[in-house]
mmCIF file of all heavy atoms in Angstrom:
data_model
loop_
_atom_site.group_PDB
_atom_site.id
_atom_site.type_symbol
_atom_site.label_atom_id
_atom_site.label_comp_id
_atom_site.label_asym_id
_atom_site.label_seq_id
_atom_site.Cartn_x
_atom_site.Cartn_y
_atom_site.Cartn_z
ATOM 1 N N ALA V 109 95.190 128.525 117.632
ATOM 2 C CA ALA V 109 96.136 129.600 117.259
ATOM 3 C C ALA V 109 96.999 129.301 116.028
ATOM 4 O O ALA V 109 97.375 130.155 115.311
ATOM 5 C CB ALA V 109 96.941 129.972 118.464
ATOM 6 N N MET V 110 97.242 127.972 115.903
ATOM 7 C CA MET V 110 98.061 127.528 114.823
ATOM 8 C C MET V 110 97.377 127.900 113.512
ATOM 9 O O MET V 110 97.968 128.108 112.432
ATOM 10 C CB MET V 110 98.506 126.047 114.871
ATOM 11 C CG MET V 110 99.480 125.782 115.942
ATOM 12 S SD MET V 110 99.612 123.881 116.206
ATOM 13 C CE MET V 110 100.232 123.408 114.626
ATOM 14 N N MET V 111 96.031 127.734 113.569
ATOM 15 C CA MET V 111 95.229 127.888 112.388
ATOM 16 C C MET V 111 95.136 129.364 111.935
ATOM 17 O O MET V 111 95.008 129.663 110.809
ATOM 18 C CB MET V 111 93.750 127.340 112.504
ATOM 19 C CG MET V 111 93.798 125.808 112.549
ATOM 20 S SD MET V 111 92.139 125.142 112.472
ATOM 21 C CE MET V 111 91.587 125.457 114.192
ATOM 22 N N THR V 112 95.171 130.257 112.959
ATOM 23 C CA THR V 112 95.085 131.703 112.746
ATOM 24 C C THR V 112 96.386 132.406 112.627
ATOM 25 O O THR V 112 96.476 133.499 112.102
ATOM 26 C CB THR V 112 94.240 132.355 113.849
ATOM 27 O OG1 THR V 112 94.921 132.174 115.149
ATOM 28 C CG2 THR V 112 92.952 131.748 113.943
ATOM 29 N N GLY V 113 97.452 131.754 113.109
ATOM 30 C CA GLY V 113 98.733 132.382 113.007
ATOM 31 C C GLY V 113 99.311 132.527 111.650
ATOM 32 O O GLY V 113 99.286 131.620 110.891
ATOM 33 N N GLY V 114 99.921 133.632 111.341
ATOM 34 C CA GLY V 114 100.441 133.838 109.986
ATOM 35 C C GLY V 114 101.753 133.177 109.741
ATOM 36 O O GLY V 114 102.258 132.986 108.631
ATOM 37 N N THR V 115 102.456 132.693 110.837
ATOM 38 C CA THR V 115 103.765 132.158 110.632
ATOM 39 C C THR V 115 103.795 130.701 111.185
ATOM 40 O O THR V 115 104.866 130.287 111.724
ATOM 41 C CB THR V 115 104.822 132.957 111.362
ATOM 42 O OG1 THR V 115 104.464 133.126 112.792
ATOM 43 C CG2 THR V 115 104.986 134.355 110.748
ATOM 44 N N GLY V 116 102.618 130.052 111.261
ATOM 45 C CA GLY V 116 102.677 128.678 111.699
ATOM 46 C C GLY V 116 102.289 128.542 113.177
ATOM 47 O O GLY V 116 102.765 127.616 113.788
ATOM 48 N N GLY V 117 101.488 129.447 113.671
ATOM 49 C CA GLY V 117 101.011 129.326 115.036
ATOM 50 C C GLY V 117 102.196 129.465 115.999
ATOM 51 O O GLY V 117 103.054 130.373 115.880
ATOM 52 N N HIS V 118 102.341 128.525 117.037
ATOM 53 C CA HIS V 118 103.339 128.630 118.049
ATOM 54 C C HIS V 118 104.548 127.920 117.623
ATOM 55 O O HIS V 118 105.481 127.845 118.416
ATOM 56 C CB HIS V 118 102.767 128.040 119.385
ATOM 57 C CG HIS V 118 102.656 126.563 119.318
ATOM 58 N ND1 HIS V 118 101.539 125.983 118.829
ATOM 59 C CD2 HIS V 118 103.584 125.620 119.644
ATOM 60 C CE1 HIS V 118 101.758 124.680 118.933
ATOM 61 N NE2 HIS V 118 102.904 124.438 119.406
ATOM 62 N N HIS V 119 104.634 127.376 116.384
ATOM 63 C CA HIS V 119 105.857 126.714 115.969
ATOM 64 C C HIS V 119 107.031 127.640 115.913
ATOM 65 O O HIS V 119 106.825 128.814 115.606
ATOM 66 C CB HIS V 119 105.632 126.100 114.596
ATOM 67 C CG HIS V 119 104.790 124.773 114.658
ATOM 68 N ND1 HIS V 119 105.396 123.604 114.531
ATOM 69 C CD2 HIS V 119 103.569 124.574 114.991
ATOM 70 C CE1 HIS V 119 104.538 122.607 114.687
ATOM 71 N NE2 HIS V 119 103.396 123.191 114.923
ATOM 72 N N HIS V 120 108.176 127.074 116.065
ATOM 73 C CA HIS V 120 109.363 127.985 116.055
ATOM 74 C C HIS V 120 109.964 128.069 114.697
ATOM 75 O O HIS V 120 110.323 127.136 114.034
ATOM 76 C CB HIS V 120 110.514 127.282 116.998
ATOM 77 C CG HIS V 120 109.882 126.971 118.328
ATOM 78 N ND1 HIS V 120 109.743 127.883 119.350
ATOM 79 C CD2 HIS V 120 109.415 125.845 118.876
ATOM 80 C CE1 HIS V 120 109.196 127.352 120.381
ATOM 81 N NE2 HIS V 120 108.976 126.084 120.116
ATOM 82 N N THR V 121 109.994 129.334 114.223
ATOM 83 C CA THR V 121 110.563 129.609 112.883
ATOM 84 C C THR V 121 111.520 130.710 112.971
ATOM 85 O O THR V 121 111.524 131.529 113.898
ATOM 86 C CB THR V 121 109.444 129.980 111.944
ATOM 87 O OG1 THR V 121 108.900 131.267 112.339
ATOM 88 C CG2 THR V 121 108.347 129.002 111.836
#
Side-chain angles (χ1 to χ4, degrees):
M110 289 170 64
M111 291 189 282
T112 60
T115 57
H118 73 273
H119 280 253
H120 307 281
T121 64

